[in-house]
Amino acid sequence: MPIWYYADALRQRHGPFTAEELAQRLQRSELNADTLVWRDGLPQWQPLRERLAELPDALAGTATDFAYVAVADSSPYAAPAAAIASDERYVAQGEVIDAGFWKRTAALLIDSMVVGFVYYMALIAAVIVLGIGAAAAGSRQGSGLGDVATFGIGMLVYLLYPLVSALYYAGFESSTRQATLGKMAIGIKVTGLDGRRLSLGRALGRWAATLLNYLTLMIGFLMAAFTQRKQGLHDLAAGTRVVDRWAYTAHPDWQVRGLGTAAKVVLILFGILYGLALLGILAAILIPLATQN
């Protein structure tokens, strides 16, 4: 017997349910034709109207016109991850809300932490492996492997970070979610100017274009606060934009215009951390000067 799950208006997943239980909720107008459902065997979440034939006939036949009512109960179970936003579900209609500067900043802060963590973990592992190899080679007189290992460690320090960063940003932003982990948390995604998903090559080009922001002393990033479509310099170069996660879908009315709770929490936490770091630096400078006097 297939087990069903559905997603409410806030994309919270509910389930598991049998087909009969799902049909009963449908009959009580707790679900509607656009409610996204999933069961084992489906490649992605689908509107309920496309799966009505799989519900009990006696109940499904009565569920033609019904309004959505948010369900308050929750479940410790969650449906396996299935792509909701994909090229098949691209809808070029409705209002499009661009992600503003502060939303993008909050996402970038999260992504920077993720990339930094992966980089240091990979670097530590590589240094350990190469270090062991260098030590073993150094024990052999006349062997040049130790110098090679030392050179390899030096190259890793400089080359590993851009490699991890490129794989992370290009891989996630060209995926069906069109967003990095930070952007997913904030509720935004990257698209082409037409709203469609980026190819891997184009996403990689967008990542490479971020170098322009550093060459302009970060002014390229600040441009997202002033351009019409909230595009940074790298977006203008790559022909991309960052929009709400529900833009270019069948539910443009689910878009959020303000910052949102996740973005506010991230910005406040990082603001506190940076403030404490600044106070620590000032204290390290001023306390020795005060004691000298």
Side-chain angles (χ1 to χ4, degrees):
M1 177 183 298
I3 298 298
W4 293 85
Y5 299 83
Y6 74 87
D8 61 25
L10 298 177
R11 291 190 71 178
Q12 298 297 314
R13 290 172 288 200
H14 300 271
F17 301 106
T18 63
E20 290 76 12
E21 290 170 333
L22 196 69
Q24 290 169 2
R25 287 175 177 264
L26 181 61
Q27 189 180 35
R28 294 197 299 266
S29 297
E30 294 176 358
L31 312 177
N32 69 12
D34 293 323
T35 300
L36 296 173
V37 297
W38 184 90
R39 62 163 172 75
D40 187 31
L42 294 180
Q44 60 189 7
W45 293 76
Q46 297 181 359
L48 184 54
R49 66 164 64 88
E50 298 181 11
R51 316 310 308 181
L52 283 178
E54 300 180 38
L55 301 184
D57 294 337
L59 292 173
T62 65
T64 54
D65 296 312
F66 32 81
Y68 179 82
V69 178
V71 181
D73 62 318
S74 59
S75 169
Y77 301 94
I84 295 178
S86 64
D87 280 348
E88 290 89 17
R89 299 202 176 280
Y90 168 81
V91 179
Q93 65 181 17
E95 182 185 12
V96 175
I97 297 179
D98 291 291
F101 174 78
W102 290 112
K103 277 188 178 182
R104 297 183 61 165
T105 298
L108 180 61
L109 291 172
I110 297 173
D111 290 330
S112 297
M113 288 187 61
V114 173
V115 172
F117 176 79
V118 174
Y119 164 71
Y120 283 111
M121 292 299 100
L123 182 62
I124 290 171
V127 167
I128 291 175
V129 172
L130 290 175
I132 293 174
S139 63
R140 307 172 189 170
Q141 293 185 351
S143 175
L145 293 179
D147 294 335
V148 172
T150 303
F151 176 78
I153 292 174
M155 292 297 292
L156 276 174
V157 172
Y158 293 102
L159 298 180
L160 186 58
Y161 187 88
L163 177 62
V164 171
S165 178
L167 291 175
Y168 175 78
Y169 283 98
F172 274 104
E173 291 177 354
S174 63
S175 69
T176 55
R177 299 303 296 269
Q178 300 176 248
T180 57
L181 297 179
K183 289 182 176 68
M184 290 182 201
I186 302 304
I188 57 180
K189 65 184 179 183
V190 181
T191 74
L193 296 181
D194 59 356
R196 293 189 179 276
R197 191 173 113 197
L198 304 184
S199 65
L200 179 59
R202 190 173 180 187
L204 188 59
R206 181 179 187 271
W207 171 85
T210 57
L211 178 62
L212 298 173
N213 298 323
Y214 298 101
L215 294 176
T216 57
L217 303 179
M218 304 300 178
I219 294 176
F221 284 121
L222 292 175
M223 287 176 61
F226 305 104
T227 53
Q228 182 178 4
R229 291 181 173 179
K230 308 301 182 184
Q231 293 171 288
L233 182 57
H234 58 299
D235 289 311
L236 292 172
T240 59
R241 63 193 296 194
V242 183
V243 298
D244 188 274
R245 70 192 296 180
W246 290 107
Y248 299 109
T249 70
H251 301 285
D253 54 308
W254 290 2
Q255 296 179 87
V256 177
R257 193 174 297 276
L259 271 181
T261 303
K264 291 178 182 177
V265 170
V266 171
L267 291 172
I268 290 172
L269 286 178
F270 274 88
I272 292 173
L273 290 175
Y274 281 118
L276 292 175
L278 180 60
L279 289 176
I281 293 172
L282 291 176
I285 295 172
L286 297 177
I287 290 176
L289 292 176
T291 55
Q292 289 177 2
N293 296 330

